[in-house]
């Protein structure tokens, strides 16, 4: 039950996965050379794959190379943990399943800056979703979701601080469910999603 993690930022979700499954994180991939997530991987003795989008003429060529490199680590699951690039079918089609954590109650607030969107919308409740990645952004079947209150005077920082522990818990649980066979991706998408 080896899996890969993709990250672009600080990697607090990656850290939760490294803490929970130190033997199972086979590789950490990403597009930002100086992402602290990579430092976390190095400290855990986990190999890192960094590719710079600027070195590739297209999204597809970047995704193809990333998929090749990640697949060479013999993983049966990829987890997006704050990975900030859209993964094309070229990448998604290479793996049995790709999970992602998103800081909103999907389908609400899809896309970038979900936390800022929720604050600007003035909702009293937002939350965290773990879903399968499909070609359409933040549209895959949701496998775990939990609401988090938005309090008066919340800023992005205070709201993110409240969301992060929920993200970590849901993501760690979803990976366990997946490997226990509880999240059969075939139940969620037909082959057409990964042309
Ligand atoms: C998290 O809020 C995650 O939901 C979103 O990006 C952020 C990544 O945080 N996709 P970290 O890099 O895991 O700390």
């Amino acid at each position: 039950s080896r899996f890969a993690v993709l990250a672009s930022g600080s990697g607090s979700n990656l850290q939760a996965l490294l803490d929970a499954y130190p033997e199972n994180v086979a590789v950490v991939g990403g597009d930002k050379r100086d992402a602290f997530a990579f430092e976390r991987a190095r400290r855990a003795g986990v190999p890192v794959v960094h590719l710079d989008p600027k070195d590739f003429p297209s999204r597809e060529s970047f995704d193809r190379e990333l998929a090749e490199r990640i697949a060479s680590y013999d993983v049966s699951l990829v987890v997006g943990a704050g990975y900030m690039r859209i993964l094309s079918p070229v990448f998604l089609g290479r793996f049995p399943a790709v999970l992602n954590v998103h800081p909103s109650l999907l389908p609400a607030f899809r896309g970038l800056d979900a936390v800022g969107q929720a604050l600007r919308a003035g909702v009293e409740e937002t939350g965290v979703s773990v879903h399968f990645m499909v070609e359409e952004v933040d549209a895959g079947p949701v496998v775990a979701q939990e609401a988090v209150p938005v309090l008066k005077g919340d800023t992005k920082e205070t709201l993110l601080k409240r969301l992060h522990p929920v993200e970590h818990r849901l993501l760690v649980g979803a990976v366990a469910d997946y490997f226990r066979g509880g999240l059969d991706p075939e139940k969620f998408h037909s082959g057409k999603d990964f042309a």
Side-chain angles (χ1 to χ4, degrees):
S1 48
R2 291 157 54 86
F3 62 98
V5 181
L6 301 180
S8 303
S10 69
S12 71
N13 282 282
L14 165 65
Q15 192 62 57
L17 292 167
L18 288 169
D19 296 345
Y21 310 117
E23 304 308 313
N24 304 81
V25 182
V27 59
V28 174
D31 56 327
K32 297 270 188 294
R33 182 181 303 283
D34 53 3
F36 191 63
F38 280 165
E39 179 56 25
R40 295 179 193 267
R42 279 189 284 271
R43 291 180 186 176
V46 172
V48 162
V49 167
H50 168 253
L51 294 180
D52 187 337
K54 286 196 295 297
D55 296 341
F56 295 83
S58 69
R59 175 186 306 287
E60 281 67 24
S61 61
F62 176 91
D63 278 1
R64 185 167 299 109
E65 177 65 18
L66 183 64
E68 290 290 325
R69 301 277 294 276
I70 297 293
S72 73
Y73 286 86
D74 187 24
V75 296
S76 53
L77 171 69
V78 178
V79 180
Y83 182 65
M84 301 317 275
R85 283 173 59 84
I86 292 172
L87 286 167
S88 68
V90 163
F91 184 92
L92 297 172
R94 285 294 302 271
F95 303 96
V98 181
L99 286 173
N100 188 51
V101 60
H102 182 83
S104 78
L105 293 176
L106 291 173
F109 309 131
R110 291 164 56 178
L112 287 178
D113 193 18
V115 177
Q117 289 184 55
L119 282 173
R120 286 189 295 276
V123 293
E124 294 187 349
E125 178 180 89
T126 186
V128 174
S129 305
V130 177
H131 63 99
F132 279 111
M133 271 203 201
V134 294
E135 188 172 347
E136 199 186 344
V137 177
D138 295 334
V142 173
V143 298
Q145 215 165 44
E146 183 169 316
V148 170
V150 180
L151 305 179
K152 256 200 295 303
D154 258 340
T155 62
K156 250 169 86 166
E157 287 66 34
T158 58
L159 184 47
L160 259 178
K161 209 159 145 38
R162 195 172 311 121
L163 287 161
H164 270 336
V166 178
E167 291 176 337
H168 302 165
R169 181 162 36 79
L170 290 193
L171 194 54
V172 166
V175 168
D177 290 347
Y178 178 77
F179 282 117
R180 263 201 298 271
L183 301 178
D184 172 5
E186 285 318 309
K187 270 207 315 254
F188 294 110
H189 73 258
S190 65
K192 72 172 173 40
D193 290 345
F194 304 113

